[in-house]
Amino acid sequence: VESSTRKGVDASTLAHRWLIPHNCAKNTVRKTTQRGVRHVVNPTLSRRYPTNDRWHRYGRLPHTVFTDTMFAGTPSCQGNKCAQVFASNFGWARAFPMPTKGKAHEALSLFFNREGVPPVMVMDNSKEQTLGDFCRKCREADCHIKQTEPHSPWMNNCETQIRELKRGSSRKMIKTRSPKKLWDHCLELEAYVCSSTAHDLFHLGGEVPETLMKGTTADISPYCEYAWFEWVMFLDDDTWPNEKLKLGRYLGPSIDVGCAMTAKILKSNGEFVPRSTLRRLTKDEIESAVHADMRTQFMLAITTKLGPGAIASDFPPEDVTPSLERYEDDDASSAQWPEAPPEDEEPTPVVGDNYVNANVLFPRGDSLARGRVTGRKHDSEGNPIGRANSNPILDSREYFVEFENGEVAELAANVIAQSMYEMLSLSQSLDHEPGFNYWVPQTLKKRNRIISLVKKRQTRYLKKTMKFGIEVPKTVNEALALDKKNGNAHYAIAKEMKDVKVAFNILPDGEVAPNGYQQIRCHMIFDVKMEDFRRKARLVAGGHTTDVPKVMTYSSVVSRETVRLALTLAALNGLEVKAGDIMNAYVTAPVTEKIWTVLGPEWGDQQDKKAIVVRALYGLKSSGAAFRAHLADCMRHCGYASCKADPDLWLKSTIDEDGTEYYSYVLCYVDDVLVVHHDAMSVLNKIDKYLKMKPSSKGDPGMYLGVKLKYTQTANGVWAWAMSPSKYVREAVTNCKKHLAESYDGRYTIPKSAPNPFVYEYDPDLDTSAPCDPDQASYYMSIIGVLRWIVELGRIDINTKVSLLSSYLAHPREGHLETAIHVMGYLRQKHNSRLFMDPCYPKIDKFPLQ
């Protein structure tokens, strides 16, 4: 009896046997294989058929696999001296350590059994691979063997993958100082890591190698839960009274032993055991002196058994790569984020909606227009948008409002509620009640006039904008024109684009954004920094066009009072104070919204391409909260805890060089970081590892939030921190003077002598001068904004005067503008002031009350 696999069942025979149509049988034969079909030569069946069924027993891989043997200079603790590596040309790999190269055929059997059989196996002409059992097993499994040309290692892609495996495993062993005798465990883990990493390779098309090789989505659970050689506590089967929870080191997944999540754990005696019940160390265990001593004794025992930890000099230079400590992105499930509502939560139904058919009044043009709420707005699938909430501010429903002229507008529920409440106050004659009579008549009287002025200001804003007396462009072309006019390059568009490119994942031509992503428009805006009036360019997203995120978008900052208290405590305890500025703060945090955009002209050759926003880009609703959560996670990683009184003040119990215990502080104002510590630069350098800071910003806090900080000795001989806004005040006055000279032709000037903020007996309430035109009103608002910040910086002497002038922002008069300019003259004359945070206890005179 003979059998043959050379001839299979044809379509006609298959149709007859299966009773299926001929065309179905023809397609079936074309789409399937027949590796095991036998052809009977002798019908006597005098001999048994061969029972080898490797062609059927093993799975099939769709891609060509390359193989080669790598050698190690140090025998492993298991006696392995080499490894058989199987790899593809797109980063997929498997490694099987072996005691000798003659065991290559056994590694091949494991590879076929665990992974499958490729159609082609490419190798060099070594005898252990081209002859004997290795060749036989490939032939029996229907795996075609191809050999490379002698002395041509570049033809075997496995050589490249071996180089990457050596680099990755050496990097892990050097960083963790694990013994060199554990190289075989590390090499196996590195092969799984490489196969599960989305490399930037054209062949992958954005997928991971494991997915491309197996045809199903890769699951990285067995490899991503722990790091190589990480400390773990595992449950061991020990008898009482010994502890069952033992200390160990993670060596990677335990393949073919236990469940998929079983890991190899290194014990203190140098042996490893497979265990599925394990965990990483808790924070208390890491900080515990007793537990630290246990870890020290553990490593001493390991060093005695397996040798010292690996260092860079133990490996060839070509196998060592630079290692940078990187800060991981936020976990979307972090406790920092409030719990989002379920994805399948139904929107509020239309039936019984209280807003539908309601009559409302809204400003349309220069007057009020009456409209009627005609119905809810629906999405593309016909579902009503938004959910109701007892708090109108949190109500996310949207409605169509039809006005008397036939115009239809889309308005949010909270806007409609505000209009209904205003109408209620009038219809119920509430304007005469004590809670309303002081503002309703006056507001309604000025409403149309204010709306008209604001509309004019908005039109003027689109044409020309001033800030601190400096002209700010609106478009890229305007910025370039200003640069040419001024002969400089204030607006660093190229620098901004270089820094912000990391926030975009540019899609290949023809590829569309994934489902569920919202399209927005990104554009360049320009500003003037308040610290020293430097010009700034920033690429921002049109976040106002996106849906309301399901997570909280509020982002707080440290208060100025907290800053002053921290500086006082620093002087009181003799602590260092250092400051730093995080570079491109928002784009360091991952985005929490699903956004894509079309690239604009600032991208040059890449204009009109589609890109997915992958970082918290400026302008998105959730960017501020995303960066703050990212920064908060970094602070917790550094061991700091948020203060309950001020969440942006981070404190940590610390012991100084003299053994005194105290609290060190880190104050966060968006991307400005202030550290109070006996060795403050060490804290800044640690934060710099995770969130890159501007090199020039690290050091003594010269300027912080627009104010100059200086450690100064007071008149009573005490050293204290002082805050002086002198530089900011002088710059503000200079820009005001320049703007008045260029825009008003001498009509307004800063007075040379101004001993007081206001002219004697001036009262803003009694001012009857002409109302300001839109240009004057806009500049008045700019001056008031500058003066408000000057008050925040410590100029409490003008606090009352600025508050009075701030009451007329909606409708200022020329007299108010002249008075604001007069305050600028007072600041020019008395700019050099300081606010001391004196740590001394104040002397209070105690006398009996009469």
Side-chain angles (χ1 to χ4, degrees), residues 515-546:
N515 292 332
Y517 280 69
Q518 304 177 69
Q519 182 182 3
I520 62 170
R521 187 179 68 88
C522 297
H523 60 282
M524 192 73 72
I525 64 171
F526 305 92
D527 198 7
V528 179
K529 298 289 287 185
M530 65 181 178
E531 292 89 355
D532 51 5
F533 301 99
R534 289 181 292 108
R535 282 70 164 175
K536 178 73 175 179
R538 179 74 72 187
L539 184 70
V540 300
H544 62 287
T545 61
T546 62

Side-chain angles (χ1 to χ4, degrees), residues 681-725:
M681 282 305 298
S682 64
V683 180
L684 272 182
N685 292 332
K686 188 173 183 179
I687 298 175
D688 189 26
K689 291 182 180 179
Y690 307 128
L691 301 173
K692 192 65 179 177
M693 293 185 174
K694 298 176 182 177
S696 59
S697 68
K698 293 168 56 180
D700 295 329
M703 293 291 293
Y704 185 72
L705 305 182
V707 66
K708 184 178 181 180
L709 296 180
K710 189 176 182 180
Y711 197 51
T712 310
Q713 189 174 19
T714 61
N716 56 3
V718 177
W719 286 89
W721 284 95
M723 305 173 64
S724 175

Side-chain angles (χ1 to χ4, degrees), residues 18-296:
W18 287 9
L19 300 180
I20 59 176
H22 185 272
N23 61 330
C24 294
K26 185 177 180 180
N27 289 334
T28 302
V29 172
R30 186 166 54 89
K31 295 293 186 179
T32 57
T33 62
Q34 300 181 35
R35 295 188 176 92
V37 172
R38 297 168 295 191
H39 174 65
V40 180
V41 178
N42 189 346
T44 61
L45 298 179
S46 59
R47 297 176 62 183
R48 292 182 178 275
Y49 286 151
T51 57
N52 172 37
D53 60 351
R54 286 190 176 92
W55 52 268
H56 182 71
R57 198 181 337 143
Y58 301 139
R60 311 299 298 188
L61 298 177
H63 299 279
T64 299
V65 171
F66 302 80
T67 186
D68 199 4
T69 306
M70 61 160 284
F71 296 89
T74 301
S76 72
C77 57
Q78 300 181 91
N80 294 318
K81 300 179 181 179
C82 55
Q84 191 70 22
V85 178
F86 301 88
S88 70
N89 62 345
F90 48 81
W92 185 88
R94 290 292 187 269
F96 298 91
M98 306 179 297
T100 62
K101 63 180 181 178
K103 300 292 185 180
H105 68 95
E106 295 184 5
L108 179 68
S109 297
L110 276 177
F111 177 75
F112 284 170
N113 184 52
R114 292 179 181 177
E115 313 301 336
V117 180
V120 178
M121 184 83 71
V122 181
M123 63 195 73
D124 57 25
N125 56 357
S126 61
K127 293 183 179 181
E128 62 272 8
Q129 296 179 152
T130 57
L131 301 175
D133 292 336
F134 196 101
C135 180
R136 177 181 59 81
K137 290 180 179 180
C138 286
R139 184 176 62 253
E140 292 176 350
D142 196 20
C143 177
H144 181 62
I145 292 179
K146 284 187 177 181
Q147 297 184 29
T148 61
E149 183 180 348
H151 311 294
S152 303
W154 56 87
M155 299 179 65
N156 191 344
N157 283 342
C158 192
E159 297 282 358
T160 302
Q161 195 60 40
I162 288 176
R163 181 195 63 197
E164 296 302 321
L165 292 180
K166 286 182 177 179
R167 288 181 176 178
S169 56
S170 63
R171 185 166 56 245
K172 288 179 171 60
M173 297 180 70
I174 292 172
K175 181 178 179 181
T176 59
R177 296 298 304 275
S178 54
K180 292 181 292 182
K181 289 188 176 183
L182 298 175
W183 66 264
D184 49 353
H185 296 287
C186 191
L187 188 71
E188 286 187 84
L189 176 62
E190 184 63 24
Y192 286 111
V193 170
C194 288
S195 302
S196 303
T197 302
H199 305 287
D200 187 16
L201 297 176
F202 178 78
H203 304 74
L204 293 176
E207 296 289 349
V208 299
E210 187 76 16
T211 298
L212 194 62
M213 177 61 79
K214 298 296 184 62
T216 58
T217 302
D219 189 283
I220 62 174
S221 302
Y223 325 118
C224 68
E225 195 169 7
Y226 301 96
W228 162 256
F229 215 61
E230 182 178 357
W231 288 109
V232 295
M233 300 296 293
F234 67 97
L235 193 63
D236 200 10
D237 296 330
D238 207 343
T239 57
W240 185 86
N242 296 330
E243 289 286 343
K244 290 189 175 183
L245 203 60
K246 298 295 184 64
L247 182 67
R249 290 276 202 171
Y250 176 79
L251 298 182
S254 181
I255 307 299
D256 293 339
V257 179
C259 65
M261 298 302 293
T262 303
K264 293 182 291 187
I265 308 299
L266 180 66
K267 302 175 67 174
S268 58
N269 59 1
E271 303 292 334
F272 72 91
V273 293
R275 292 292 184 268
S276 60
T277 305
L278 67 156
R279 62 165 174 82
R280 57 175 47 88
L281 302 188
T282 63
K283 181 180 179 181
D284 294 336
E285 290 173 341
I286 295 175
E287 297 177 352
S288 171
V290 176
H291 210 280
D293 184 65
M294 290 174 55
R295 298 195 295 271
T296 302

